[in-house]
C-alpha cells in the first residue's frame, strides 16, 4: 500500500465523505482526493497526525484499515514473544489456537494479514524468535542443551539441535564456541 493512500472502512455515503472532509479540515491535513473508502493524502502523515486522524475517524465510526492490520500484526508478534519468553501455560494448545483465541479471528485470516505485512509466515517468525531465545540461553551458559530443550518444550536435545541448525546453520555447540551476535527482537 502506498504511504499516501489510506483505506477507510465504513465509508458508505456522501455524508461519510463530508464527515471525513470536515475531519481533514479541522486537523489542517492536506489531501488530493477523497472517495468512498479511500483517502489520498498530499504527503505522508507524521505519527502524531496519523494518531489524531485515526482517533477522529473512530469517533464517527470509521476505521483506517491498514492501522487495524498493523495492530493485528503487532499483537501477533507480542503474543509469540510472550509465548517463547514468558512460558505461560497454554496447555496443549497449538500456536494457531492460541493466536485465534487471543485475537478472536480465524487463524487463516491472521496468517494472511501477517504474511502480507511481514513477507513470511507466522510459523517462520515463531521459529526465528525461538532460535533467538535458544541463542540467549546458550550464551548465558547456565543450562546444558538438554535443559534448554526441556525449557523450550523440545522433545529432546537432538530435536532442539536439529531445529537450531536448520534456523542458524550451526549446531548449539558450534554456536556456543562462536557466540554470534544476537538480533534485537524488533529486527527479526
Amino acid at each position: 500500500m502506498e504511504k499516501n493512500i489510506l483505506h477507510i472502512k465504513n465509508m458508505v455515503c456522501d455524508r461519510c465523505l463530508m464527515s471525513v472532509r470536515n475531519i481533514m479540515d479541522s486537523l489542517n491535513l492536506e489531501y488530493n482526493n477523497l472517495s468512498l473508502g479511500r483517502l489520498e493524502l498530499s504527503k505522508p502523515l507524521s505519527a502524531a497526525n496519523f494518531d489524531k486522524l485515526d482517533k477522529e475517524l473512530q469517533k464517527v465510526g470509521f476505521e483506517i484499515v491498514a492501522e487495524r492490520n498493523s495492530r493485528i500484526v503487532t499483537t501477533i508478534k507480542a503474543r509469540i514473544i510472550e509465548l517463547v519468553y514468558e512460558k505461560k501455560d497454554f496447555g496443549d494448545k497449538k500456536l494457531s489456537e492460541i493466536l485465534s483465541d487471543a485475537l478472536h479471528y480465524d487463524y487463516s485470516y491472521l496468517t494472511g494479514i501477517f504474511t502480507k505485512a511481514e513477507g513470511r509466515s507466522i510459523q517462520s517468525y515463531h521459529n526465528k524468535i525461538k532460535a533467538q531465545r535458544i541463542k540467549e540461553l546458550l550464551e548465558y551458559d547456565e543450562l546444558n542443551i538438554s535443559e534448554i530443550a526441556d525449557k523450550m518444550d523440545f522433545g529432546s536435545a537432538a530435536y532442539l539441535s536439529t531445529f537450531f541448525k536448520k534456523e542458524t546453520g550451526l549446531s548449539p555447540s558450534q554456536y556456543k564456541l562462536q557466540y554470534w551476535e544476537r538480533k534485537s527482537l524488533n529486527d527479526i
Side-chain angles (χ1 to χ4, degrees):
M1 180 187 326
E2 294 180 44
K3 292 227 183 240
N4 291 353
I5 295 177
L6 298 178
H7 295 278
I8 303 172
K9 188 175 178 179
N10 301 328
M11 286 181 65
V12 296
C13 65
D14 289 336
R15 282 184 297 228
C16 295
L17 292 170
M18 187 175 62
S19 293
V20 174
R21 272 190 206 99
N22 290 340
I23 290 169
M24 294 298 289
D25 292 342
S26 72
L27 295 174
N28 294 319
L29 298 175
E30 297 177 24
Y31 62 96
N32 295 331
N33 191 20
L34 176 64
S35 57
L36 293 179
R38 190 171 189 272
L39 173 63
E40 183 180 337
L41 301 166
S42 300
K43 58 185 177 184
L45 296 175
S46 68
N49 281 337
F50 185 90
D51 288 342
K52 287 178 191 175
L53 176 60
D54 188 38
K55 285 177 185 167
E56 290 302 315
L57 289 171
Q58 285 181 22
K59 285 180 185 176
V60 292
F62 301 128
E63 180 179 357
I64 298 175
V65 176
E67 176 63 14
R68 181 192 58 172
N69 289 349
S70 178
R71 282 191 299 244
I72 289 172
V73 169
T74 300
T75 303
I76 290 169
K77 287 180 170 184
R79 288 289 179 168
I80 289 172
I81 291 169
E82 178 181 81
L83 232 169
V84 171
Y85 277 79
E86 296 180 18
K87 294 301 296 167
K88 291 190 174 186
D89 186 17
F90 291 101
D92 291 334
K93 285 186 175 181
K94 295 178 182 177
L95 177 63
S96 58
E97 294 171 307
I98 294 167
L99 293 175
S100 290
D101 289 350
L103 292 152
H104 309 290
Y105 288 107
D106 185 66
Y107 185 72
S108 60
Y109 177 74
L110 295 176
T111 198
I113 289 172
F114 190 90
T115 301
K116 187 175 181 180
E118 294 293 310
R120 63 177 156 198
S121 69
I122 291 172
Q123 188 60 52
S124 172
Y125 179 77
H126 182 239
N127 289 347
K128 296 292 183 201
I129 296 297
K130 282 172 67 173
Q132 291 301 312
R133 178 66 172 142
I134 294 167
K135 286 178 183 180
E136 185 178 330
L137 293 171
L138 288 169
E139 288 175 20
Y140 292 163
D141 204 26
E142 295 173 349
L143 305 171
N144 64 38
I145 293 174
S146 293
E147 291 168 328
I148 293 172
D150 185 51
K151 182 177 182 72
M152 297 295 297
D153 292 328
F154 284 90
S156 67
Y159 182 49
L160 178 137
S161 294
T162 301
F163 168 84
F164 191 78
K165 183 154 188 153
K166 183 179 175 189
E167 289 296 318
T168 65
L170 298 169
S171 70
S173 48
Q174 289 171 324
Y175 179 83
K176 272 181 102 166
L177 293 174
Q178 295 183 7
Y179 282 107
W180 288 79
E181 218 174 283
R182 282 186 290 133
K183 290 183 180 179
S184 160
L185 294 181
N186 291 336
D187 294 335
I188 293 179

